[in-house]
Amino acid sequence: MVRVGPAGGAGPTSADGGPEPAGEDPAPVPFTRLDFADPELLEELLGEVRAVAERGAFTLGEPVESFEREFAAYCETDHAIGVSSGTEALALALRALEIGPGDEVIVPVNSFIATAEAVSAVGATPRLVDVDPDSHLITAETVAENLAPNVRCIIPVHLFGATVELDPIIELAQESGIHVIEDACQAHGARYRGRRVGSIGALGCFSFYPTKNLGAWGDGGAITTSVPELAERVQLLRAHGERPRYHHRVVGTTARLDALQAAVLRRKLARLEESNAERRRLGAALRNSLASATGAGPRLELANAAAAEAEHADHVYHLFVVRTPAREELRAHLSERGIASAVHYPIPIHLTDAYAHLGLGPVSLPVSERLAGEICSLPIFPGMSDAEAQRVAQAVLDFTQAAQVV
Ligand SMILES: *Cc1c(COP(=O)(O)O)cnc(C)c1O
């Protein structure tokens, strides 16, 4: 990763230490920036790591329990259970609902593969469905079209930090006697009609992968729920079904959140409202700047503008995504200007080798397939300066105004 930003000290200098001559390229804009770029935060977190190491208690215990209490309070729900990853959170949530072989689970194909993998991991089958062309998210209409006798659960994904229109999905699920698990791995802290994501379905699943809105120093995850029986089942499953020591009540697994990660996450949770506010502000600034992105050059749109602008929306901008048929040219154009970009995700789940066995070939889920070829994620992260955001926006605008694409 290219390291830039305040941690680097002084701005760019020439070999003799003097100021950079005029006309020199400015520092690159990275795709994201991790904790080491903030020296104060880095010291604080290293202190937490030291404290855990000195106590020598690495599994469960005080840091995990405190984090769980604080994360449940933050999500405005009763229980949070720390687990080893977002994928494990989804799998344990499914197991808590006793979903397994013979069952189908509706999953939007426009997601990270983990949403489907968790379904496969418990022996059930993902029923991959397409997303709405405007919000790029799953809708109740699609769910209704895909209800089938074996379908026992739906996993709406709050993708990119945008919130799914949940109420009609929950209503439909209740009528049909099926469960809703929210995949909130990209939307920590977002609100849907005033409620925190993860507090609305039977269970909510979060990932603390380092680049997520709340990121650990490695892997981690959590499950949120307001149903005490589900909370208890997940607690048993994540640690060998054990309660008390060496009394194994159910066949579980090792999927605990590490005490080290919990200690890091507690500190970062205290800053999450602030860092999400920064993401929202940067997201709004980029949207405003790019609203006028029409010129002689390639067509370019904000990718899930409908989800950001919906009445129920509260986009926390895990990612800022645009779409253009000239995606590769856009990425090359940005790269030449020192601006990083990424694609989330270039291959829809049903077209990966891993899910070829489902037999859904090309043109089966056309919206997601088209998106996969056109989307481009631009840099957005807490600590991004207004000047950096402006440079990103200007580079994109230049691209759309260029009469000829090279
Ligand atoms: C990151 C992510 C996951 C998986 O989380 P891990 O912690 O990487 O296992 C699941 N779903 C979505 C939408 C994600 O973005």
Side-chain angles (χ1 to χ4, degrees):
M1 192 182 125
V2 183
R3 180 173 169 168
V4 292
T13 50
S14 62
D16 64 359
E20 199 67 41
E24 203 62 24
D25 288 342
V29 182
F31 188 69
T32 189
R33 209 168 262 156
L34 295 175
D35 298 337
F36 62 75
D38 178 344
E40 203 180 302
L41 177 62
L42 180 65
E43 280 312 308
E44 197 178 313
L45 298 181
L46 285 171
E48 290 295 333
V49 170
R50 166 175 283 275
V52 172
E54 283 173 352
R55 277 197 301 273
F58 294 104
T59 50
L60 300 178
E62 195 276 324
V64 175
E65 284 166 23
S66 298
F67 173 71
E68 288 175 338
R69 255 193 322 276
E70 289 159 10
F71 192 63
Y74 178 82
C75 294
E76 299 170 6
T77 188
D78 295 335
H79 306 276
I81 303 97
V83 297
S84 52
S85 72
T87 310
E88 228 14 282
L90 289 160
L92 294 182
L94 289 161
R95 284 192 65 188
L97 295 170
E98 297 182 27
I99 289 163
D103 297 331
E104 284 190 283
V105 178
I106 295 178
V107 169
V109 78
N110 188 27
S111 181
F112 181 53
I113 194 169
T115 320
E117 277 180 315
V119 175
S120 304
V122 303
T125 306
R127 193 175 179 93
L128 298 173
V129 303
D130 214 346
V131 293
D132 178 73
D134 298 320
S135 71
H136 302 185
L137 304 172
I138 192 169
T139 63
E141 291 71 44
T142 317
V143 172
E145 285 160 20
N146 282 279
L147 287 175
N150 292 338
V151 169
R152 289 205 45 223
C153 184
I154 308 161
I155 310 184
V157 180
H158 302 293
L159 199 71
F160 305 152
T163 48
V164 172
E165 173 68 288
L166 275 181
D167 282 344
I169 293 179
I170 304 245
E171 198 176 309
L172 194 59
Q174 276 166 354
E175 282 164 17
S176 322
I178 60 182
H179 301 288
V180 174
I181 296 174
E182 289 173 74
D183 182 337
C185 290
Q186 297 192 3
H188 317 64
R191 288 183 186 277
Y192 166 76
R193 299 193 189 279
R195 289 169 291 167
R196 293 277 197 202
V197 299
S199 73
I200 305 160
L203 302 125
C205 296
F206 292 86
S207 164
F208 304 127
Y209 182 77
T211 58
K212 301 284 162 101
N213 286 31
L214 179 59
W217 279 5
D219 286 310
I223 294 169
T224 47
T225 184
S226 58
V227 183
E229 296 75 27
L230 292 177
E232 195 181 330
R233 234 181 106 69
V234 172
Q235 271 160 1
L236 283 175
L237 289 169
R238 75 164 168 188
H240 308 294
E242 188 179 57
R243 182 177 303 151
R245 193 86 174 123
Y246 300 125
H247 290 256
H248 304 282
R249 292 165 191 269
V250 293
V251 178
T253 186
T254 299
R256 297 172 293 245
L257 179 67
D258 284 332
L260 281 172
Q261 302 301 354
V264 164
L265 287 164
R266 282 188 73 195
R267 291 286 185 149
K268 294 186 70 181
L269 178 59
R271 301 170 181 233
L272 181 56
E273 277 301 271
E274 199 186 315
S275 62
N276 272 347
E278 240 183 301
R279 286 178 184 272
R280 288 189 189 98
R281 187 179 58 75
L282 290 161
L286 284 170
R287 277 177 52 203
N288 285 339
S289 309
L290 296 180
S292 57
T294 46
R299 176 174 65 76
L300 183 132
E301 293 163 31
L302 303 177
N304 62 341
E309 285 151 18
E311 176 220 339
H312 66 262
D314 171 29
H315 205 313
V316 288
Y317 288 102
H318 172 58
L319 296 171
F320 189 96
V321 185
V322 294
R323 67 184 291 194
T324 172
R327 191 255 311 280
E328 298 313 314
E329 292 86 344
L330 171 64
R331 295 196 68 198
H333 170 93
L334 293 173
S335 171
E336 276 165 25
R337 285 154 186 77
I339 296 168
S341 66
V343 177
H344 299 92
Y345 299 91
I347 308 172
I349 299 173
H350 65 296
L351 299 182
T352 60
D353 291 347
Y355 281 102
H357 63 274
L358 293 179
L360 294 162
V363 303
S364 57
L365 301 168
V367 176
S368 300
E369 287 169 34
R370 176 126 185 256
L371 287 176
E374 297 189 351
I375 46 177
C376 175
S377 307
L378 303 177
I380 188 166
F381 48 86
M384 183 183 207
S385 68
D386 291 338
E388 285 175 315
Q390 201 43 51
R391 268 183 61 204
V392 171
Q394 194 54 54
V396 175
L397 287 173
D398 290 347
F399 178 74
T400 61
Q401 267 136 30
Q404 203 163 352
V405 188
V406 263

